[in-house]
Every structure is written in C-alpha cells, then in structure tokens.
Amino acid sequence: MISPELSASLVESWNFFIHLAITLVPLFIGASFLVGLAQEYFPPEKVERKLQGYNEGTGNVAAAGFGAITPFCSCSTVPVLSGLLQAGAPLGLAFSFLLASPLVNEIAVLLLLGAFGLKVTIWYIATTITAAIIGGIIIGRLGLIEDVKDIELNSDRDQSVATDGGTVECCASSPDTRVTHREHFEKAAREAGTFFKETLPYLLLGMTIGALVHNVVPAEILQAVLGSQNPVAVPLAALFGAPIYVSMSGMLPTAVVLHEQGIAIGTVLAFVIGGAGVSIPNLILLNKLFKRRLLLAYAGTVVVIGVLVGVSFNAFLI
C-alpha cells in the first residue's frame, strides 16, 4: 500500500507536471517551428561555405553567431566543423562555432524565456556567445591543430543523434534558390511537426523528472549539494549536467524545478551548460575528429564557461 504521505507527494507531482506542461509545451511548439525555419534558410552546407572565408577575430564572431542561430544536430555540427578545418579555417574559428552550437538554440532560448524571463534569457545568450568567441580565440592560439585527426566526416548527414536529444532528420540539403518564401515556411511547418513529435518524449521525460524532484526529493538534499552554502556548488552543477543530459528540451524542465527549489539561477545555468556542451553523444562524435588532448580541451572549456556564467549570474542576477 502507498503511504498517505507518498500519495500526497505523487498528487502534487502530477499537479506540478500539468503546470510545467501548460508553461513549456506551447513554447516548445513555437521553438519547433523556428528550428524548421532555420534549417530551411541556414542548412549546414551554406553555413560551412560562409565561414570558410573568415579569419580569426571577425571569424570567431561570425562562427559563434552562426552556431547560435543554426539548430544543427550533432551529426551536422561535427561534419561542418570537419569541413571548416579541412578547408583551412583556423581551429579557433571552428571552436567558436562548436562551443556556441549546443548552448544557444531556438529550443533553449524560448524555454529559458518561458521559465526564467526576458532578463535571464538575454544575459544567457550574451554571455554564452561571448564565451564562445573568447574560448575559440584562446583555443586557436594554443597550437593544438595537430590534435585534429585526419578523418572525413562530411558524408551521411541524413540520420542523426540530435543536439537536442532525439533522432531527427535535421540535416537537410541546401534549399533550392527558386523556392519561394511561402514554400520555405510551409516546409518549415511540416518539419516542425516532425521535430516536435520526435523530441516531445524528451520534454515529457524532463517534466516528469522535474515534477518528481519538486515533490519527492527533499529540498534539504538539493540545498546541501547545490545550495549557496556549498562553495563548489557551481562547478559541481557544471559537472553533474553532463552524465545525466538527455536533451535540452528535457534538461530545462529539471532546471526550472531546481530553481524553484531554491537553487541559485547561476548554478542552474551551469548545470544546463555542462550538460548541453559535454553530452555523451556529442563527445562520442567529437572523439572521431579530435585526439584526446583536444577533446579534453573542449570539455574543459565548456565546464569553465559553465562555471564562469554560473558565478557571474549568482553574483549579479540574484
């Protein structure tokens, strides 16, 4: 028999699940359409061609910008990265694209907006893109180009493990220039439906985990590990995010719950950044392109970004 206390907690969890669904699902539908639209106008091949003509500095800015607006899955982000390097683009420029791509996308922006508001969302976008630019420049000057493996990754872009979690056909070919804007929008709407159906289970999983954490896991435990009284809470959050990452759509509901349980916003965002940037699918693909030292440099850079963003947000946005 279920105890009255557990039964009450489960009922509260269900009520909180409904609250999350009402808040996040409409935003997720809108984000799905933006994903489809971005895939129509900024396919991987087009982004790769545009970035090949840039050098350090302005190239890092452009690469981080394209990484932020293109919702590429891991199967496209890594081949674009490979194509840039094979074409002679600076390693730092490619790294700015690689760092920005998983941290800033339509799903993250709209769900952050719904969960934490405009101020937090704007500062998150600004700090992560800035960090991607600076991080790329630093990596580019460390002389690690010899740690890039000589391997071809530019084929087979059809199937994917999505950066946002699911397996979706996110790697469409370049759009026909004769296609009208209306046709682009109609195709984006169709692709949005597919993307929504593919990734909705991850959002539901995240909301389920979040609802259970909200009402079943004692707040004292969360505060002991990730609370402000723990001086290493932010680094721990950045590290904990990676092994439990499923998708950005599944991660953010859990982040909402952590914040509602009293965890500081910076610590929560460090958790999101660590998970999104150092997810296991992402590392598996990057391992085909990077030798160990460069792979560790990438993972370390993501964790450092998570810690710096977390500490900054805790200091200035509490």
Side-chain angles (χ1 to χ4, degrees), residues 103 123-124 127-128 130-132 134-135 138 233-239 265-267 269-271 273-274 300-317:
L103 303 184
W123 277 105
Y124 175 84
T127 53
T128 48
T130 301
I134 296 173
I138 293 173
V234 174
L236 284 178
L239 293 172
I265 183 64
T267 307
L269 292 180
F271 171 76
I273 289 171
T301 301
V302 171
V303 172
V304 169
I305 289 173
V307 172
L308 291 177
V309 170
V311 170
S312 300
F313 271 66
N314 286 347
F316 299 109
L317 289 181

Side-chain angles (χ1 to χ4, degrees), residues 158-183:
D158 296 329
Q159 300 291 326
S160 67
V161 178
T163 302
D164 185 61
T167 53
V168 296
E169 293 186 5
C170 64
C171 312
S173 59
S174 299
D176 189 337
T177 55
R178 296 169 294 179
V179 176
T180 65
H181 292 296
R182 179 177 178 178
E183 290 172 322

Side-chain angles (χ1 to χ4, degrees), residues 41-83:
Y41 284 97
F42 297 100
E45 297 85 354
K46 183 176 182 179
V47 172
E48 184 179 320
R49 288 196 303 269
K50 284 185 174 294
L51 289 178
Q52 285 176 356
Y54 285 96
N55 293 314
E56 185 184 76
T58 56
N60 292 92
V61 175
F66 275 113
I69 65 174
T70 49
F72 293 160
C73 51
S74 300
C75 78
S76 276
T77 298
V78 176
V80 168
L81 181 74
S82 175

Side-chain angles (χ1 to χ4, degrees), residues 240-261:
F240 285 167
I244 67 173
Y245 180 87
V246 177
S247 71
M248 184 65 82
S249 56
M251 196 93 168
L252 287 173
T254 305
V256 172
V257 171
L258 290 176
H259 188 48
E260 292 202 2
Q261 292 289 76

Side-chain angles (χ1 to χ4, degrees), residues 10-300:
L10 292 176
V11 170
E12 288 297 320
S13 295
W14 171 251
N15 292 334
F16 191 75
F17 176 89
I18 297 299
H19 165 72
L20 286 175
I22 292 172
T23 302
L24 298 180
V25 170
L27 292 170
F28 188 63
I29 292 173
S32 298
F33 176 71
L34 292 179
V35 166
L37 205 58
Q39 289 168 2
E40 277 294 292
Y41 284 97
F42 297 100
E45 297 85 354
K46 183 176 182 179
V47 172
E48 184 179 320
R49 288 196 303 269
K50 284 185 174 294
L51 289 178
Q52 285 176 356
Y54 285 96
N55 293 314
E56 185 184 76
T58 56
N60 292 92
V61 175
F66 275 113
I69 65 174
T70 49
F72 293 160
C73 51
S74 300
C75 78
S76 276
T77 298
V78 176
V80 168
L81 181 74
S82 175
L84 289 173
L85 294 173
Q86 290 169 9
L91 177 62
L93 182 153
F95 247 76
S96 288
F97 174 80
L98 176 63
L99 291 169
S101 185
L103 303 184
V104 187
N105 55 57
E106 290 82 354
I107 296 294
V109 169
L110 283 190
L111 294 186
L112 279 170
L113 183 63
F116 301 118
L118 183 61
K119 182 180 179 180
V120 169
T121 304
I122 291 175
W123 277 105
Y124 175 84
I125 294 171
T127 53
T128 48
I129 290 180
T130 301
I133 294 170
I134 296 173
I137 291 173
I138 293 173
I139 291 292
R141 296 187 179 185
L142 292 180
L144 299 176
I145 189 63
E146 293 183 357
D147 289 280
V148 177
K149 295 179 180 178
D150 184 17
I151 186 170
E152 184 71 43
L153 288 173
N154 285 309
S155 59
D156 300 325
R157 290 182 177 177
D158 296 329
Q159 300 291 326
S160 67
V161 178
T163 302
D164 185 61
T167 53
V168 296
E169 293 186 5
C170 64
C171 312
S173 59
S174 299
D176 189 337
T177 55
R178 296 169 294 179
V179 176
T180 65
H181 292 296
R182 179 177 178 178
E183 290 172 322
H184 278 311
F185 272 73
E186 290 175 348
K187 185 176 179 182
R190 292 193 299 269
E191 291 177 351
T194 301
F195 180 83
F196 177 76
K197 288 187 291 185
E198 292 281 357
T199 55
L200 180 60
Y202 297 92
L203 180 64
L204 296 176
L205 176 62
M207 292 191 298
T208 301
I209 294 172
L212 292 173
V213 170
H214 186 267
N215 293 286
V216 176
V217 178
E220 295 79 9
I221 295 178
L222 294 176
Q223 286 293 332
V225 178
L226 299 176
S228 57
Q229 73 278 6
N230 185 353
V232 294
V234 174
L236 284 178
L239 293 172
F240 285 167
I244 67 173
Y245 180 87
V246 177
S247 71
M248 184 65 82
S249 56
M251 196 93 168
L252 287 173
T254 305
V256 172
V257 171
L258 290 176
H259 188 48
E260 292 202 2
Q261 292 289 76
I263 305 303
I265 183 64
T267 307
V268 171
L269 292 180
F271 171 76
V272 172
I273 289 171
V278 199
S279 65
I280 292 175
N282 209 22
L283 291 181
I284 289 174
L285 283 175
L286 287 174
N287 186 57
K288 297 179 180 179
L289 183 60
F290 295 161
K291 295 179 182 178
R292 181 174 299 178
R293 185 172 62 164
L294 190 53
L295 189 64
L296 289 175
Y298 166 75

